[in-house]
Amino acid sequence: MAYYAIKGGEEAIRNSLNFYNDITSKSSKIDDEDLIDAFTFSIDKVLSEGALYSKKLAARAIKRSAGDLLNASFFLRAHRSSCQRIGICKELDVNDMRLTRRISSAFKDIEGGQLLGASNDYEIKLLVDLKNEKVDIEEYSTKDNVIKSALTPLREDNLIKILPKEQEPWDITRVFPNAPYPRSALLQVMSRGESGSLLGFAYTSMRGYGDVHPTIGDLRIGELDIVFTHPFTKNKVKIGSIEATAVESAGTFNKDSDGQTRLTTGFGFCFGKNETKAISISIIDLTLYNDSYTVGTEQIVASDFEMMMHHVDGIESFGFANHYKLPHYVTFQTDYQVFKSASKYVKEEDIKGAKK
């Protein structure tokens, strides 16, 4: 079997794209605002993994991909790479978040109380219409609903392990670091990582390849203001706000480097309403930076910095897996010819041996 170069595929590709546009054309008729309002969690998943905070562009990406959320994230990330950067915003403090939801499983009574917000955690997951009784919903203003983390009292009493602070956060969109990886780079990679991948790695630490069984010290969803230095006036100006999820998971009390016993914690942060993703990030962060979490094997999957830096990005994983659909004729034919030659050689040697 010989290899032949094939020409004339351009027309077939155009036809394939036209066919794809035909079967997905109805999605373009959905209004952006309707999609944003009706599928808020899908929007938040895409803008988080696409690493571009724009609900309108996330809606367009979902329509373009006909609901394939990983593909939609790919569209959004690709668009992001074409956008011009004009500056860097001021660092965000999640304690300044105007909260719409805030819970803690580590403490029963916390400042500001448990704020359940909108969640279906307490719903029976059945595809039937359940009767919801009318209840009185307590009204509150997110403007005044700014509460510090539930772990703040412990932090103020110097009971929480503090990791060394970097002089300046790393920017993975400009230069991807070599090992040893800064924590800021790891958190950025995970913040825009694929939710399922992060959950899978975090689960390995909970399920047997590690001994992490944290509690949620503080889980919060809310709005954060984006403050930017004006390029002309040099004044600090608010240019907008984002919705985000932040989680501090509490581990165990371990002896710190200075001999004091302190609580180990992990932190997770991402765009939009993404609780499971933020929890997963916090668990992996907890695993990476605490050597005591090493039960089960010498090489814990979720405590491997190399593994986390290079295997949680959904866009890279998606692209690499799908590139195998592209022509690999030469690669396969090479393997096939090697196999045929080896088989022929073995048969010839068997015949020679039989004659002797």
Side-chain angles (χ1 to χ4, degrees):
M1 182 183 294
Y3 166 74
Y4 296 95
I6 305 297
K7 296 182 180 180
E10 292 88 348
E11 184 177 356
I13 290 173
R14 283 196 298 270
N15 290 339
S16 177
L17 289 173
N18 288 333
F19 189 21
Y20 176 82
N21 290 332
D22 285 344
I23 66 173
T24 62
S25 60
K26 289 186 178 179
S27 63
S28 63
K29 298 178 182 178
I30 303 173
D31 184 73
D32 288 346
E33 293 301 324
D34 290 340
L35 189 58
I36 292 170
D37 292 338
F39 294 94
T40 179
F41 294 101
S42 296
I43 294 290
D44 289 350
K45 175 180 171 65
V46 169
L47 62 84
S48 177
E49 296 175 9
L52 177 61
Y53 194 91
S54 172
K55 296 199 173 189
K56 187 171 183 178
L57 289 178
R60 290 181 60 183
I62 290 174
K63 292 193 295 184
R64 177 72 67 87
S65 65
D68 183 340
L69 299 187
L70 190 52
N71 210 356
S73 300
F74 203 150
F75 278 123
L76 200 62
R77 183 83 67 85
H79 177 77
R80 182 191 185 282
S81 68
S82 68
C83 297
Q84 181 182 3
R85 174 178 292 193
I86 60 173
I88 300 174
C89 75
K90 181 184 175 183
E91 291 181 3
L92 303 176
D93 186 345
V94 296
N95 286 306
D96 297 332
M97 190 179 284
R98 297 186 295 277
L99 299 172
T100 57
R101 172 166 162 80
R102 186 278 193 110
I103 61 171
S104 173
S105 64
F107 306 97
K108 179 181 179 182
D109 298 316
I110 51 178
E111 180 187 353
Q114 305 275 1
L115 180 63
L116 299 188
S119 174
N120 76 337
D121 285 350
Y122 320 100
E123 181 181 42
I124 299 174
K125 301 297 193 296
L126 294 174
L127 292 176
V128 295
D129 292 329
L130 299 177
K131 182 180 179 181
N132 292 318
E133 297 180 2
K134 291 185 178 181
V135 296
D136 294 327
I137 299 176
E138 183 180 350
E139 297 293 338
Y140 66 91
S141 171
T142 58
K143 181 179 179 181
D144 302 322
N145 207 28
V146 179
I147 309 169
K148 291 183 179 180
S149 168
L151 294 178
T152 297
L154 295 180
R155 188 167 281 112
E156 291 175 345
D157 289 338
N158 195 28
L159 293 176
I160 291 182
K161 177 180 177 180
I162 299 176
L163 296 173
K165 187 176 182 180
E166 299 171 29
Q167 292 184 351
E168 187 175 344
W170 197 278
D171 186 352
I172 63 169
T173 66
R174 288 298 179 262
V175 180
F176 201 86
N178 295 319
Y181 304 109
R183 183 165 177 252
S184 59
L186 276 157
L187 288 173
Q188 287 174 60
V189 166
M190 291 193 288
S191 182
R192 69 179 194 172
E194 203 273 324
S195 303
S197 295
L198 291 162
L199 176 60
F201 279 117
Y203 191 52
T204 63
S205 289
M206 297 181 282
R207 189 62 178 82
Y209 292 91
D211 59 346
V212 179
H213 191 283
T215 50
I216 302 301
D218 190 274
L219 182 154
R220 53 183 51 215
I221 299 175
E223 289 187 338
L224 283 164
D225 291 337
I226 303 299
V227 178
F228 183 74
T229 301
H230 195 283
F232 302 121
T233 66
K234 305 303 179 184
N235 294 327
K236 300 289 185 182
V237 293
K238 175 185 171 182
I239 60 173
S241 61
I242 63 169
E243 187 178 33
T245 304
V247 171
E248 283 187 277
S249 60
T252 60
F253 283 91
N254 289 332
K255 186 171 289 187
D256 212 342
S257 56
D258 61 359
Q260 298 294 319
T261 299
R262 295 186 176 90
L263 178 68
T264 57
T265 60
F267 180 70
F269 178 91
C270 54
F271 287 158
K273 297 177 287 296
N274 281 289
E275 295 182 29
T276 302
K277 179 177 179 178
I279 292 171
S280 300
I281 295 172
S282 72
I283 291 172
I284 295 172
D285 183 51
L286 185 64
T287 306
L288 286 169
Y289 291 95
N290 293 282
D291 295 336
S292 63
Y293 298 110
T294 56
V295 175
T297 178
E298 294 180 358
Q299 188 65 34
I300 307 301
V301 178
S303 66
D304 187 322
F305 287 83
E306 197 79 22
M307 182 69 73
M308 292 303 105
M309 284 294 289
H310 296 283
H311 297 93
V312 298
D313 192 294
I315 308 305
E316 291 186 5
S317 304
F318 175 91
F320 201 83
N322 280 277
H323 101 280
Y324 290 118
K325 294 186 288 187
L326 299 174
H328 284 71
Y329 310 128
V330 175
T331 302
F332 178 76
Q333 290 301 322
T334 300
D335 291 341
Y336 183 62
Q337 291 300 331
V338 169
F339 169 75
K340 288 183 65 177
S341 298
S343 298
K344 181 180 179 182
Y345 174 79
V346 171
K347 289 180 180 179
E348 291 174 350
E349 290 298 308
D350 289 344
I351 293 174
K352 289 179 182 180
K355 289 181 178 180
K356 291 180 180 179

